[in-house]
Amino acid sequence: MTDAASHLDLTIGELFPSGDIVAEWVFSLSAVADDLTMLRRQLARAHAEDEAFRVVLLFQRLLSVRLYEARRLVHVVDTHPELKDFLGSKPPSWFELLREKYSPEGHSAVDELHAVTRHQGVHYMWPGSQELREALHSVGRSPARMKVTDDRSRPNVEVQWVQIVAGMGVFGEVQDAQWTPRFAERGELTVEIVQAWTMLYGVMIVIYAHRRGIDLERFVERQPPLSRAGKPSNAE
């Protein structure tokens, strides 16, 4: 064991004791930041590598789900004095920005842009539901296509009508006059909120560890940057 690794002696229970509301909040904050970072990275890779639309759509839907569900971390602060004390009388600007974007509860900018996508990203539209009836009606004139790749080693079936319906839920009706400005608004809001969550976590984990009297070296393992081949840059 190296000298650096020998300092990594902290357990999850020590860092986040169960039943401690502040510990639970910081843990949940780390989960949100980690999910958003990974999803943003996967979306960027999908765009850069010109992945199929359904791949981009999948990550976009997952991102909307996480952005929407993260609202709980903002609103729970108002119900626990311990969390208010932890954030202080002047909370970090990143938290104030998130409070603005997630308020008022149930009618916020995030609710307006991501609530429907979140719902469709978690639940399927079932036969007999008004939701499915309206979705099918809205795409009734779109082409019905199923793309089949004739490759015995890697057969692939792409059901494009599913993508059209899902795309409508995420991006809205492309022919609508308000589509372009709303698409731009969604993109700008998403970038702003993802950045706010990740920056807030970077600040709060340091503050949290300091107040707990925990040295960062006990749980932060520093790794060399990866090369383009995916290996540590200092590897032979």
Side-chain angles (χ1 to χ4, degrees):
M1 180 180 291
T2 65
D3 291 339
S6 65
H7 294 293
L8 299 169
D9 60 352
L10 195 67
T11 66
I12 295 175
E14 290 177 286
L15 186 58
F16 302 113
S18 61
D20 184 314
I21 189 65
V22 174
E24 292 174 355
W25 189 83
V26 176
F27 174 83
S28 297
L29 178 60
S30 66
V32 169
D34 193 58
D35 281 349
L36 294 179
T37 299
M38 179 57 67
L39 287 169
R40 183 175 60 176
R41 186 177 302 153
Q42 293 298 328
L43 261 175
R45 180 181 301 171
H47 283 297
E49 298 178 0
D50 197 24
E51 290 278 8
F53 176 66
R54 64 175 171 176
V55 176
V56 174
L57 187 59
L58 173 62
F59 287 124
Q60 184 64 57
R61 293 171 76 183
L62 289 172
L63 183 61
S64 289
V65 169
R66 289 294 181 262
L67 286 172
Y68 181 79
E69 289 299 311
R71 74 196 190 286
R72 302 170 188 271
L73 270 181
V74 175
H75 301 313
V76 73
V77 170
D78 295 325
T79 63
H80 290 276
E82 302 95 325
L83 295 178
K84 287 185 177 181
D85 291 341
F86 176 61
L87 287 166
S89 58
K90 292 184 177 180
S93 59
W94 301 111
F95 180 79
E96 294 291 20
L97 186 149
L98 290 168
R99 186 191 290 278
E100 174 191 342
K101 300 303 181 183
Y102 283 94
S103 298
E105 187 172 1
H107 302 281
S108 68
V110 175
D111 288 310
E112 181 181 353
L113 290 176
H114 293 289
V116 172
T117 306
R118 178 268 175 195
H119 173 74
Q120 294 180 356
V122 175
H123 304 283
Y124 285 111
M125 295 181 284
W126 294 110
S129 67
Q130 181 69 19
E131 181 182 24
L132 180 54
R133 189 177 304 117
E134 292 178 354
L136 291 176
H137 177 75
S138 66
V139 300
R141 294 183 178 276
S142 300
R145 301 287 186 273
M146 184 167 66
K147 185 185 296 184
V148 179
T149 302
D150 295 323
D151 187 337
R152 292 183 179 180
S153 62
R154 296 183 60 185
N156 183 57
V157 177
E158 187 175 336
V159 187
Q160 294 186 339
W161 55 75
V162 173
Q163 297 174 37
I164 291 174
V165 173
M168 285 279 289
V170 173
F171 302 114
E173 173 54 65
V174 178
Q175 302 302 323
D176 186 86
Q178 294 300 311
W179 186 85
T180 298
R182 284 184 61 81
F183 182 75
E185 179 186 4
R186 177 192 292 272
E188 292 170 1
L189 179 65
T190 297
V191 170
E192 193 173 16
I193 294 177
V194 169
Q195 181 183 41
W197 279 119
T198 53
M199 294 299 291
L200 178 65
Y201 173 66
V203 171
M204 299 313 299
I205 188 61
V206 174
I207 294 175
Y208 174 76
H210 176 73
R211 293 189 183 181
R212 294 268 175 177
I214 299 173
D215 195 319
L216 294 179
E217 291 185 359
R218 293 186 63 196
F219 63 92
V220 176
E221 181 177 4
R222 301 188 183 279
Q223 296 284 334
L226 295 177
S227 66
R228 292 185 177 181
K231 298 179 180 181
S233 57
N234 60 355
E236 294 294 334

